[in-house]
Amino acid sequence: MWPKPYDIRPILLKHPLKIYKLQSTNLNSMSETILQVRNLQVEFIGDYNKVKAVDGISFELKRGETLGIVGESGSGKSVTALALMGLLQNPGKVTGGKILFSQGSQLIDLLKLPPDEMSLYRGGDLAMIFQEPMSSLNPVYSIGFQLTEAIMRHQNVNYEQAKRLAIAGLQEVKLLETDAQIEQQYIDFTHNYGSHSSSPDLLNLAKLVTDHKEQLLQRYPHQFSGGQLQRIMIAMAISCNPSLLIADEPTTALDVTVQATIIDLLHELQKNRQMSMIFISHDLGLIAEIADKVAVMYQGKIVEYGAASEIFNNPQHPYTKGLVACRPTLHSRPQKLLTVSDYMNAELDEFGRLKITAKEPHQPPEITITEINSRLEKITNKPPLLKVEKLKVGFPVRGIFGENKSYNMAVNSVSFDVFPGETLGLVGESGCGKTTLGRTLLRLIDPLSGKIVFNDQDITYLVGKKLQKLRREMQIIFQNPFSSLNPRMKIGNAIIEPLLIHHVGKSKKQQQDRAVELLEKVGLSADDMGRYPHQFSGGQRQRICIARSLALNPKFIICDESVSALDVSVQAQVLNLLKEIQAEFNLTYIFISHDLSVVKFLSDRILVMNKGKIVESGTSENIYLQPQQEYTQKLIAAIPTGSAERRKK
C-alpha cells in the first residue's frame, strides 16, 4: 500500500468559490470563449542581455475547441504553455500582456493571481501533459500515490474517494480494463484452467476485481512503457475535470501507432468532457489531425493563424510552407527534401528586428519507379556486404534461486542480406527488437545462436583485437545525440578520439585537419572545434555524431532512430545529409525507425519487424503500395497525413 497523500482540504476551504466551481459547474451559463491571450510577452533576463522568447502573441480559445501551436524548437511554443500555467522559472518572466481565463461569467487575468490561488487553478481548471512522462512522474512513488495526491490537491474528497477516482481515470484512458472486462477475464481463466465451474463465487470474483485494480495502482513508473506512462499523465491531468488541457509534445518520443492511439484518446476525452485543448507540436501534419485552429510560431511570434484545414492545405507564410513541405510523404519519392531555408531567408536589420524574405524553392525532381528498380538491380547484383542467418538474441529470465529459467527472445531466428551501397530500412514498434538486432550486428550484444558474416568474415563470436579492428568498418549513430557525446569534451576532440584509439593519422595536425574536414562535410566549420555539445542545437549535435561516425572511413553505418527526436525541418536536413554522404563515400546503411514515411524516403528495401521476427520484407514501394501483413498496414495507417479523417472517426 502506498503512503497516504498530504490532506490539503484546509487550504481549499479558504477558497469557497473554487470549491463551488468544482461541485456545481453549469456549462450553459459559461462564456463561449474560455481563454484569451492578449499581447503576451515573455523574456529571459540575464546579467548582460535579455532574450524575448515570446514576442507579443495573441489568440483565443472557445469551449470544446482545440488550438494547435506548431513551430520548431526555440520558437516559443513551450514557453507560452508554461506562461499560461504559471510555471515559468527564473530567469524567465512575463513582461507584458494578459491571460484572461473564463470562469462562469467572469474573466480572470491569471497573471494577476497570487501564487497560492494560481496553484489551485493549476491542476484543477488548467492541466498540462508534458513531453516526457518519465521525468514528470516521481520514480520513487507508485502511480496510485501520485494520482490520489493530485486528486486530493484539487477536490474536496477523502483518500478512499480519491483512490476510486484514480481507478476511474485509468479506466477512462483505457490503461485499466472496465470492471466487467476484468470479471470476464477471471471467469474465462476459471473455466479454462480452474475447477471448470460454470458459476464462480461472485463474492470472491468481486474481491479479485478489486485486487486487480489496486495492483495496478501499486506499480511504479519504470514498470510501464512510454505509451502507458503517457496515459497515466493524461489520467492525472483530467482527474479534476479541467476546463483547459495543454498537451506539450505529448507524442514526440512515441511510436506512430502509439501516437495515433494517444491522439484518438485525447480527442475522445475532449468530446466527452467538452474540454478545450491546446496541442503543441513541431509536426504540422500531426497538428492538422487533431486541431480546429492552428497558430504557427517562429522566433517568439505567431506568423500565421487560422483554421487547421486552411493552413495545412493553403499555407500563406513561407515558414508554414516550409514546415508542410519538409516532412517526407508516402505518396512521392523526391531526390531530396525541401527545408524551411528553401522557402525563406531570415535576418536581422540594422535595428535588430527580424526580417523575413520569401523565396520560391526549386522543386526537387521525383525518382521514378524505373530509376528505383534500376538502382536496386545494380545493388543486388553484387555479393552482400552483410549476411545474417537465423540470428537469435535473448535476455535471461532468472529463476527464484538465480538460475537461468528461460530467455526472453528479443531477436528470434532472423535472416537477411545487406548489399554494398544499399540502405536497408528496419521498421517496427518499440520493443520489437530493432535496436537489439542493430547492436548485435555491431557485436555490442552477444547472440545466442545464428551467424553474422561481414565482408566475407564470420564475426559472430569475434573478440579482442580482431573485434577492435572490425570497429573501424562498422559504426552507429544513436537516437539521442546529446547522450552520445561527452558533455565535458569539446566536439573537435570527440571527432578525433576514434582516430587516437585506432592510431589513424601520423600527427596531431593531420588528425585536427581530418576533424575540420568532417565538420565542414556535415555543414559545420573549423570554428566549432573548440565548443562543447551543449552549445549546439539538437540537429547540429546529430551532425557532429555523423561526422564522428565517418572519422574512420567505415563501410557500414547503423542509424538507430537517428532523426526521430528532431524537428521536422531539421530532420529533413539530416536525411538529406545522410543521402549525400552515402553517395560520396559509398556507404551502406541500416536505417532503424518506427516511422515508415522517413524509412521509405531513405531506403531501397524495408524489413518490418514485430516481436523479434521479420514479418514482411520487400522494396520500399511494394511495402507501401501492397503491404501483405496486417501489422504493416497498421504502421502505415498510423502515420500522420495532415487530414482530419482519423479525428472524425
Side-chain angles (χ1 to χ4, degrees), residues 604-617:
D604 299 294
R605 294 184 299 131
I606 293 176
L607 305 180
V608 182
M609 200 167 181
N610 185 27
K611 296 180 180 179
K613 295 186 176 183
I614 303 297
V615 296
E616 189 164 357
S617 63

Side-chain angles (χ1 to χ4, degrees), residues 250-323:
T251 63
T252 297
L254 303 179
D255 295 335
V256 285
T257 49
V258 180
Q259 172 180 271
T261 303
I262 296 296
I263 295 299
D264 291 342
L265 172 63
L266 286 172
H267 181 65
E268 182 182 339
L269 291 171
Q270 180 192 27
K271 184 178 179 181
N272 293 341
R273 290 167 170 261
Q274 278 296 298
M275 180 175 64
S276 302
M277 184 161 62
I278 294 177
F279 193 96
I280 296 171
S281 178
H282 61 257
D283 188 341
L284 194 53
L286 177 61
I287 286 285
E289 291 190 351
I290 193 170
D292 301 298
K293 292 191 300 188
V294 174
V296 182
M297 289 192 71
Y298 179 70
Q299 295 202 2
K301 294 180 178 291
I302 292 179
V303 295
E304 193 160 359
Y305 182 65
S309 57
E310 183 65 24
I311 284 184
F312 188 83
N313 294 318
N314 188 27
Q316 299 299 308
H317 196 276
Y319 179 68
T320 313
K321 292 178 181 179
L323 289 181

Side-chain angles (χ1 to χ4, degrees), residues 88-262:
L88 281 173
Q89 301 290 319
N90 283 330
K93 185 179 180 182
V94 176
T95 56
K98 294 181 178 181
I99 301 174
L100 302 177
F101 182 72
S102 174
Q103 188 181 47
S105 59
Q106 293 183 326
L107 281 178
I108 300 167
D109 190 345
L110 298 180
L111 296 177
K112 293 182 179 179
L113 290 178
D116 63 335
E117 192 169 343
M118 182 61 196
S119 70
L120 293 175
Y121 277 87
R122 185 171 51 241
D125 292 288
L126 308 170
M128 186 166 178
I129 307 167
F130 294 93
Q131 178 173 350
E132 178 46 63
M134 197 63 185
S135 62
S136 306
L137 292 167
N138 193 323
V140 302
Y141 290 112
S142 68
I143 65 158
F145 171 80
Q146 296 182 66
L147 280 165
T148 54
E149 183 184 42
I151 292 168
M152 291 183 68
R153 179 77 175 86
H154 296 280
Q155 297 195 54
N156 188 22
V157 296
N158 60 32
Y159 175 64
E160 289 300 322
Q161 290 171 323
K163 191 164 69 171
R164 286 197 293 272
L165 288 172
I167 289 170
L170 292 175
Q171 289 177 326
E172 188 173 7
V173 299
K174 299 173 185 174
L175 181 63
L176 183 62
E177 304 92 336
T178 65
D179 287 9
Q181 289 171 333
I182 299 170
E183 286 180 4
Q184 192 59 49
Q185 288 176 12
Y186 280 111
I187 290 170
D188 292 343
F189 181 83
T190 302
H191 287 171
N192 292 330
Y193 302 101
S195 61
H196 301 282
S197 168
S198 59
S199 55
D201 184 353
L202 292 180
L203 289 176
N204 190 43
L205 184 59
K207 185 178 184 304
L208 287 172
V209 172
T210 301
D211 290 346
H212 180 94
K213 293 187 290 189
E214 295 209 355
Q215 283 170 8
L216 185 72
L217 292 181
Q218 292 171 14
R219 290 168 64 184
Y220 289 82
H222 71 273
Q223 296 175 291
F224 295 90
S225 69
Q228 289 174 322
L229 286 172
Q230 202 60 284
R231 287 171 182 265
I232 293 167
M233 287 299 301
I234 294 170
M236 188 177 294
I238 65 172
S239 62
C240 297
N241 198 25
S243 304
L244 172 62
L245 176 66
I246 300 173
D248 185 7
E249 301 270 15
T251 63
T252 297
L254 303 179
D255 295 335
V256 285
T257 49
V258 180
Q259 172 180 271
T261 303
I262 296 296

Side-chain angles (χ1 to χ4, degrees), residues 33-53:
T33 301
I34 192 171
L35 181 72
Q36 298 177 45
V37 175
R38 297 178 181 173
N39 198 31
L40 180 65
Q41 298 182 54
V42 179
E43 295 181 348
F44 286 80
I45 303 170
D47 293 334
Y48 304 104
N49 65 338
K50 63 180 179 181
V51 176
K52 194 171 284 188

Side-chain angles (χ1 to χ4, degrees), residues 536-639:
F536 295 88
S537 68
Q540 289 173 321
R541 287 197 290 265
Q542 199 61 287
R543 288 171 180 267
I544 294 164
C545 291
I546 293 171
R548 185 177 61 178
S549 72
L550 296 173
L552 298 170
N553 290 320
K555 295 179 179 177
F556 175 63
I557 296 178
I558 292 179
C559 305
D560 186 7
E561 299 277 13
S562 53
V563 298
S564 62
L566 302 178
D567 291 336
V568 284
S569 182
V570 178
Q571 180 185 89
Q573 295 170 23
V574 173
L575 290 173
N576 289 338
L577 175 63
L578 287 171
K579 288 194 76 170
E580 290 168 11
I581 63 175
Q582 180 181 40
E584 184 173 347
F585 295 101
N586 193 30
L587 295 171
T588 303
Y589 291 146
I590 288 182
F591 192 87
I592 298 173
S593 179
H594 59 256
D595 189 339
L596 196 54
S597 62
V598 171
V599 173
K600 179 179 177 290
F601 167 75
L602 206 61
S603 302
D604 299 294
R605 294 184 299 131
I606 293 176
L607 305 180
V608 182
M609 200 167 181
N610 185 27
K611 296 180 180 179
K613 295 186 176 183
I614 303 297
V615 296
E616 189 164 357
S617 63
T619 66
S620 299
E621 301 300 319
N622 285 344
I623 288 289
Y624 167 60
L625 294 173
Q626 299 172 331
Q628 301 300 307
Q629 299 296 318
E630 184 181 350
Y631 179 74
T632 311
Q633 294 166 5
K634 184 176 73 168
L635 287 178
I636 294 172
I639 298 169

